[in-house]
Amino acid sequence: MASNRQRAGDGSRQQQAGSHSKQYQIENNYFHPQTTLGKLLQQLELELENETTTSGKIDEFEQLMHFKTTGEFVGLEQKLKAGERLDLLEEAEDLKERIAKKITKHENIESAQRVYLYLLEDVITAFKYKVIPLIKANESHSVIDSAIKDNIIDPISEKLGTNSLDLFPRDVEGLIYFLIGNCHLKWG
């Protein structure tokens, strides 16, 4: 049996499903479980509503926004070519540009920086432990693509749900190419 509580003054409700242990906060028609990401998305909604901005950048966020400066710069095309994945190049460049624009649009909102930092770090971890081993084992493109979808795109998209940043599954895929292009991930 579900119970509903309404907090006075802000028009939001909290629901807790009887057999589910996750608590959900309903804000501006967006549903976010009370997880780290859910709390960050909730904070983002408040900052967007209040038009709160910052001129500062979170250090870790700032590092991921720029090219990693170790060794010689190798672009996305060269990395995909080395990984024998030039079949992804056109879409990868489009998705990388698309997500870069979305990140730039909200980079002056601290909670947006935190959301993107969380997502980028999540992508890095999943890619490192679930995808790189398959690439190194010379698995087929279809196996690697399935691993990306099953271990990165689908779970992160599910965590995001409907969100104030208008991030969709293809944007999550764009985060992969953004990180590869900025030398934070290697294809292989």
Side-chain angles (χ1 to χ4, degrees):
M1 176 173 226
S3 65
N4 293 327
R5 290 186 305 168
Q6 187 160 358
R7 288 185 286 163
D10 69 0
S12 65
R13 295 181 290 157
Q14 289 184 340
Q15 285 184 331
Q16 186 167 353
S19 63
H20 299 284
S21 62
K22 288 184 180 177
Q23 190 176 37
Y24 294 87
Q25 190 82 21
I26 303 172
E27 299 280 346
N28 301 327
N29 298 320
Y30 297 119
F31 299 89
H32 302 296
Q34 293 302 295
T35 61
T36 300
L37 182 59
K39 290 175 185 176
L40 290 172
L41 289 166
Q42 191 174 41
Q43 180 63 34
L44 173 64
E45 291 168 21
L46 291 173
E47 288 182 17
L48 287 170
E49 186 177 302
N50 295 326
E51 298 179 5
T52 306
T53 60
T54 182
S55 59
K57 301 282 188 291
I58 299 167
D59 289 341
E60 295 88 348
F61 172 80
E62 187 72 17
Q63 289 171 351
L64 291 173
M65 294 303 100
H66 299 288
F67 297 110
K68 203 171 182 181
T69 56
T70 56
E72 182 180 330
F73 172 76
V74 178
L76 180 59
E77 181 176 359
Q78 293 89 344
K79 291 174 187 167
L80 292 176
K81 183 177 181 180
E84 298 179 11
R85 290 310 305 261
L86 280 177
D87 59 304
L88 299 174
L89 181 61
E90 186 176 337
E91 183 176 24
E93 289 177 334
D94 289 346
L95 292 175
K96 178 182 177 252
E97 183 177 332
R98 173 176 154 166
I99 194 65
K101 286 178 181 178
K102 286 188 175 192
I103 292 170
T104 301
K105 179 179 178 182
H106 295 103
E107 70 183 352
N108 291 328
I109 302 170
E110 183 177 347
S111 57
Q113 291 178 38
R114 292 189 185 284
V115 168
Y116 280 114
L117 176 60
Y118 179 95
L119 297 174
L120 291 162
E121 297 267 340
D122 206 1
V123 168
I124 289 169
T125 301
F127 198 86
K128 178 180 176 181
Y129 292 106
K130 299 293 187 173
V131 179
I132 295 286
L134 298 174
I135 294 170
K136 289 185 177 197
N138 293 316
E139 290 290 343
S140 69
H141 291 177
S142 63
V143 168
I144 293 167
D145 293 347
S146 290
I148 290 171
K149 185 177 183 314
D150 295 344
N151 295 292
I152 300 175
I153 298 170
D154 289 348
I156 292 175
S157 296
E158 186 176 325
K159 286 180 202 177
L160 277 168
T162 303
N163 61 84
S164 301
L165 297 172
D166 290 327
L167 296 175
F168 302 101
R170 289 176 46 81
D171 297 312
V172 175
E173 183 178 0
L175 291 171
I176 298 167
Y177 304 123
F178 180 85
L179 288 164
I180 291 171
N182 284 1
C183 304
H184 296 286
L185 286 178
K186 293 180 182 177
W187 194 281

